[in-house]
Amino acid sequence: QAPRDMIAAGFGDAIGKFTSLADWNLGTLLLGEPFDPAIAKRLRDALLTCADHVADIRRALPTGVRILMQALFESGLCMLQYGTSRPASGSEHLLSHFWEMMHHRRAESTVLHGAKVGVGTVLTAERYAAIRTLRREDVASHIKTARLPSRQDEASAIQLTFGSAAEDVSQHYLPFLDSIANNWAQIQQKILDQWAYVSEIAAMVPSADHIARLLEQAGAPSAPAELGLAEPEVRQALQLSRYLRGRFTVDTLGRLLGLW
């Protein structure tokens, strides 16, 4: 008996595992983050089951709602077992969190979290599509010219963007930036050496159009305009949401290659 927009938002949160799992794989491959294959499989199985029953979820049939709730519970249990939100929260969630923070400052936080996550998943899938187009020689060329932003510039951007929350944001992000800077040459070489595997990870993410169709079938928003977001708000989130976690994502990879 839940409101239909709440059910659709739950589906949007579940569908975000397409990109959060890929981001987790990138962090493991390129930074050596801990990875648990059993947790990853549980999340992916729950995600795919949701996608397979999108029509039942849209109609709020007991079978569909049960499958959706099981997937969301499974996500929570996987995060609990892993110890952080890493397996189930990647670039798509950072976009959602950023919009929520900005709207909260303007007292306009009215759109459900999962609805934003679903749209964030579409935008993140577009970035994975860009990664899939790159050949190893393209990557080598990008690495030659790529430059890390300075710590001072990043700290200034955080202060300008987040105001009173800047100190908390900096505590999450700047140590992560420092770890990248301290191992910059090794990370660049690993990106190049492991590009075949990076491409395989990117191929795990369906196209943005496919994810958008799944969201539409569930009755969930699939585009920023449906959330009331203007183009500048989308660009701002794509540029600045990375600061909210010290977490390697497709956004991190693109920035290390100078793609965006």
Side-chain angles (χ1 to χ4, degrees):
Q1 301 303 313
R4 294 299 178 90
D5 61 341
M6 186 176 289
I7 293 173
F11 184 84
D13 195 283
I15 218 72
K17 284 27 171 184
F18 274 128
T19 49
S20 69
L21 285 170
D23 281 350
W24 186 21
N25 274 273
L26 284 180
T28 298
L29 178 67
L30 300 176
L31 290 190
E33 290 183 26
F35 188 79
D36 188 319
I39 288 178
K41 183 179 186 306
R42 284 163 55 193
L43 278 172
R44 190 163 184 86
D45 287 349
L47 158 67
L48 294 177
T49 301
C50 268
D52 287 343
H53 290 82
V54 63
D56 290 344
I57 292 170
R58 169 67 178 264
R59 295 167 62 194
L61 297 180
T63 299
V65 175
R66 185 180 301 112
I67 285 170
L68 175 59
M69 287 304 300
Q70 287 171 340
L72 295 174
F73 275 123
E74 187 68 40
S75 175
L77 291 170
C78 285
M79 289 188 284
L80 182 64
Q81 182 178 337
Y82 185 74
T84 75
S85 64
R86 178 51 152 152
S89 176
S91 300
E92 75 296 325
H93 270 77
L94 298 185
L95 291 167
S96 176
H97 295 324
F98 184 85
W99 289 321
E100 287 156 3
M101 290 180 72
M102 295 301 104
H103 285 185
H104 177 72
R105 289 167 63 179
R106 299 197 302 266
E108 296 174 2
S109 186
T110 58
V111 179
L112 292 171
H113 168 72
K116 300 188 194 79
V117 171
V119 171
T121 305
V122 174
L123 296 175
T124 303
E126 290 175 351
R127 290 193 153 174
Y128 271 106
I131 293 297
R132 287 197 296 273
T133 66
L134 297 178
R135 300 166 300 171
R136 189 178 185 278
E137 50 266 39
D138 300 323
V139 176
S141 178
H142 284 296
I143 282 176
K144 286 181 181 179
T145 58
R147 297 290 181 271
L148 273 178
S150 74
R151 195 180 201 275
Q152 182 177 351
D153 287 346
E154 292 289 79
S156 297
I158 290 171
Q159 183 62 52
L160 182 64
T161 303
F162 297 102
S164 60
E167 184 176 352
D168 287 341
V169 173
S170 295
Q171 288 176 357
H172 282 291
Y173 183 75
L174 292 182
F176 172 71
L177 178 65
D178 292 340
S179 70
I180 295 288
N182 293 337
N183 298 281
W184 179 223
Q186 298 94 315
I187 292 171
Q188 285 183 305
Q189 189 60 49
K190 183 168 281 190
I191 291 171
L192 190 58
D193 292 344
Q194 301 292 335
W195 191 253
Y197 295 104
V198 171
S199 297
E200 288 182 8
I201 292 169
M204 293 168 51
V205 179
S207 71
D209 286 345
H210 179 74
I211 293 172
R213 284 195 299 272
L214 285 172
L215 291 167
E216 290 162 4
Q217 289 168 18
S222 62
E226 296 176 75
L227 304 177
L229 294 168
E231 185 59 33
E233 293 173 295
V234 177
R235 289 197 304 269
Q236 186 185 44
L238 288 169
Q239 180 181 1
L240 303 172
S241 62
R242 70 184 187 276
Y243 294 132
L244 294 175
R245 293 287 187 277
R247 187 167 288 178
F248 199 98
T249 68
V250 69
D251 178 78
T252 314
L253 177 60
R255 290 184 188 282
L256 295 183
L257 295 176
L259 299 179
W260 41 71

